[in-house]
Amino acid sequence: MAITKKNRREFIEDMFFKLENVPIEQIVGSRVPLKQQGAHLYGSCPFHSSTHHRSFVVTPRKNIWHCFVCGDGFGGNGIKFISLYDNIDYLQAAFKVAYENNIISYDEYIMYSKINYNETYVNRLEQKHVGSKKIAVTAKPKAPDFIIHNVYSIIKENCSLSEEDYKTLKNERHLSDTRIARDYFTAPTNWKQKENILNAIRAAYPEYTDEILMTVPGFYIEPEKGKNRLKFSFAKGIAFCIRTDTKIKAIQIRRYTVKEGQKRYTWFSSSFTDAEPDKYLGGAGCGSPHDILYPDNTDKGIIAITEGRFKSEILRDAGNVAISLQGVSTWKGIQNEILHIMDSRPVRKIYLFYDSDMLGNTAVYNQSIALLKAIEITFPTIQTYHAVWKKEWGKGIDDMYFNGHIKKIKYLTSGQLKSCHEKVLKFLLKKYGVESLDEIVRSKDKDLKERFCRDLQDNSEKAIFEGV
């Protein structure tokens, strides 16, 4: 089945959001050796023949690079660098960076990068994310947080949960009735439900005009038969509220079925309107906000960070404050959430529960190290640990719980994990006859990359759990 234009553009928008969290020095450094000097990194410019190491500069704090010899046109973000270096357009460069940093899978990379994209669409993406001196791209307005919370609360109140969805949450996900009632509902998809929701919003908040509502993620206006009609649409599935404290920041949906080009989890979003400004008015994306779940009547002083709502439900039930990320690279700004949590309770330790295959996936490993490093810099008195376990015991922390393997988990400091990783990596690079990991990451040989990842996972597990 062909990928729809809407699914394609939602996929691309989500990918670009996650790409913002990949350090520019990591992207540029995958092609050019860089040397740190103060707040900048320097290297030889690959776009002119000079060997002067001071002309090519990368500034991580500003997320930019520039060559002072090449001048205009030779500077920008990491994706722009890959576009110039690999001689491909901006969107193809984004796909490549996303694949190399484990934001998209190999199959997704092949599927989406082979599509013939409209040149105007690609140029708009570049202008939006890099900027242009010739063409100014104005970001669409997004409703204030309190309006988003109010509107989403009305949606939640006016939607029920089907018996089948209730059984799924109760029997397969083992959620309590209290948790189900608070956050979960069956996504509304028929026109009558949508009409009732719009009427309920207008009755509760008559001051919210269509011009205001079209700035709430998920809503948009489409001209139809000479009139502007306010609309919204949900994917079919189980919907749940993403919260920071008590405020609803977004709505996520777990699809019942996944078609070609789709992901199981999607957002209530209208970001697809960006690509066709002449067809739609308004529309907004929700990004990938962090989700915080608080335990009932416990004060363990522990924050548990994981990826995805259902894993965080397990960690919350164990008495932890649980923060779920919507992707391993989307942790930017998590310090603010931790500060918010510390306003109401003491925090002694922070544990990171990424999936078991983190040991064999260097992109996820790098993100886990970077995440805890950022936390340690901001909160030096809080102890931080990586939770690791064998892949055969379960993929996620929820699998470990349901399979009865929780007590087998080992908790390592970043120093302990890095020491193990570096020793195993050194051994494998020698075994594969390559000088650096970049040769594996950039290889077009899918089988080679998968074999290397398996070896990295297996040898890391042996080193950690068997001392081999």
Side-chain angles (χ1 to χ4, degrees), residues 209-333:
T209 63
D210 287 0
E211 286 69 26
I212 290 175
L213 290 173
M214 74 179 188
T215 66
V216 174
F219 290 78
Y220 60 97
I221 287 177
E222 182 176 8
E224 195 174 88
K225 296 180 179 180
K227 295 182 179 180
N228 288 337
R229 298 190 181 277
L230 182 69
K231 296 183 176 183
F232 67 88
S233 62
F234 273 89
K236 292 182 178 180
I238 300 175
F240 48 92
C241 303
I242 300 296
R243 299 177 184 267
T244 299
D245 203 1
T246 59
K247 303 298 182 189
I248 305 175
K249 302 283 288 186
I251 296 174
Q252 197 169 33
I253 305 98
R254 186 183 189 278
R255 286 188 170 103
Y256 295 138
T257 57
V258 181
K259 299 176 183 178
E260 184 181 31
Q262 292 181 336
K263 289 181 176 293
R264 174 68 70 180
Y265 290 88
T266 187
W267 293 102
F268 178 50
S269 167
S270 46
S271 59
F272 64 88
T273 60
D274 283 349
E276 298 184 84
D278 296 332
K279 183 177 180 180
Y280 302 106
L281 298 174
C286 60
S288 293
H290 304 152
D291 185 28
I292 304 177
L293 299 180
Y294 289 88
D296 294 328
N297 305 318
T298 58
D299 190 13
K300 293 173 64 174
I302 293 175
I303 294 176
I305 302 170
T306 190
E307 182 189 7
R309 162 58 75 86
F310 292 113
K311 295 170 188 173
S312 68
E313 292 277 12
I314 295 295
L315 294 167
R316 173 205 169 274
D317 287 346
N320 309 293
V321 178
I323 301 177
S324 70
L325 310 177
Q326 318 310 324
V328 297
S329 64
T330 61
W331 53 266
K332 185 178 180 181

Side-chain angles (χ1 to χ4, degrees), residues 13-26:
E13 201 239 339
D14 181 64
M15 179 185 74
F16 269 103
F17 181 85
K18 292 175 179 177
L19 282 168
E20 293 177 3
N21 295 280
V22 181
I24 187 171
E25 63 270 27
Q26 184 172 307

Side-chain angles (χ1 to χ4, degrees), residues 336-347:
N336 295 328
E337 270 87 32
I338 295 172
L339 282 170
H340 181 75
I341 293 167
M342 292 173 68
D343 285 340
S344 62
R345 63 192 68 206
V347 176

